[in-house]
């Protein structure tokens, strides 16, 4: 598959990873609570990406992208989920003084993995990436389309190791500062507001 513009694809993928979005916010928040939770959230996001890749290989992502009602349902569910995550961070900081309950409770790797997984699965931008952006790098005649999509999708998943490692490391770096109750409360409010804002944007956006 020498005819594929691999370096161009790598550049597009890395930019997509590093532009802050729902996955970025969930991984950073999890890593700031606990390093292993950050790794688990990143792994969950990549597993979700694998699911999108499988859908693209069998052609379902293209079908979803061409049917606004299906894509709208995914968008609304994803937005509602982000609103839920944001609310879980913000509400406890408003009800009590001192350390927020969310900060005191350990974040399990299973919970972090699930947050990363569902955030990615319900992200309509991931569907559109595999349905509209990735096909631009498919070269007719080089290899079967399904094989090219699978190869590009697998590269996308593997490339995520580097940017997610950077995000997790960033979360670990700020974890020490977040041990201060006042800073933790404001961190939860800011990250919760960011997640809720992303979720509200998905719910309210007009096609």
């Amino acid at each position: 598959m020498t005819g594929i513009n691999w370096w161009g694809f790598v550049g597009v993928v890395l930019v997509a990873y590093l532009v802050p979005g729902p996955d970025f916010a969930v991984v950073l928040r999890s890593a700031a609570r606990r390093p292993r939770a950050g790794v688990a959230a990143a792994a969950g996001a990549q597993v979700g990406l694998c699911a999108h890749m499988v859908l693209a290989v069998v052609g379902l992502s293209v079908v979803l992208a061409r049917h606004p009602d299906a894509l709208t349902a995914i968008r609304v569910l994803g937005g509602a989920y982000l609103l839920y995550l944001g609310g879980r961070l913000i509400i406890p900081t408003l009800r009590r003084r001192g350390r927020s309950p969310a900060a005191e409770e350990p974040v399990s790797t299973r919970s972090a993995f699930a947050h990363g997984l569902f955030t990615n699965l319900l992200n309509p931008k991931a569907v559109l990436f595999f349905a509209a952006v990735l096909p631009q790098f498919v070269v007719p005649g080089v290899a079967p389309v399904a094989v090219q999509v699978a190869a590009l999708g697998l590269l996308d998943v593997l490339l995520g190791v580097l940017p997610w490692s950077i995000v997790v490391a960033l979360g670990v770096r700020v974890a020490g500062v977040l041990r201060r109750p006042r800073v933790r409360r404001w961190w939860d409010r800011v990250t919760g507001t960011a997640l809720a804002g992303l979720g509200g944007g998905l719910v309210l956006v007009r096609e």
Side-chain angles (χ1 to χ4, degrees), residues 84-97:
Y84 163 74
L85 292 181
R88 284 192 61 185
L89 284 174
I90 298 171
I91 293 175
T93 68
L94 302 177
R95 288 180 173 174
R96 297 184 182 182
R97 293 185 177 182

Side-chain angles (χ1 to χ4, degrees), residues 1 14 25 27 43 52 61 63 72 74 93 98 106 117 128 158 179 205:
M1 293 186 285
L14 290 179
V27 173
H52 287 297
S61 67
V63 173
T72 296
I74 293 174
T93 68
L117 173 64
L128 290 174
L158 294 175
R179 292 192 181 96
V205 68

Side-chain angles (χ1 to χ4, degrees), residues 19-155:
V19 172
D23 292 345
F24 184 98
V26 169
V27 173
L28 180 63
R29 177 179 67 87
S30 299
R33 296 284 181 81
R34 186 182 171 203
R36 290 182 61 184
V39 173
Q46 296 311 91
V47 171
L49 206 60
C50 288
H52 287 297
M53 179 183 67
V54 172
L55 289 175
V57 169
V58 299
L60 289 180
S61 67
V62 177
V63 173
L64 288 172
R66 291 179 178 176
H67 289 75
D69 290 342
L71 202 56
T72 296
I74 293 174
R75 174 172 53 77
V76 172
L77 286 173
Y81 185 67
L82 291 175
L83 284 169
Y84 163 74
L85 292 181
R88 284 192 61 185
L89 284 174
I90 298 171
I91 293 175
T93 68
L94 302 177
R95 288 180 173 174
R96 297 184 182 182
R97 293 185 177 182
R99 294 178 63 87
S100 67
E104 296 172 353
E105 297 173 359
V107 179
S108 70
T109 54
R110 180 180 298 180
S111 175
F113 179 88
H115 288 331
L117 173 64
F118 288 111
T119 298
N120 187 276
L121 286 177
L122 297 173
N123 187 353
K125 292 182 180 179
V127 177
L128 290 174
F129 178 85
F130 279 93
V133 177
L134 187 146
Q136 303 301 317
F137 294 89
V138 172
V139 180
V142 172
V145 172
V147 173
Q148 293 187 61
V149 170
L152 290 166
L154 181 60
L155 178 59

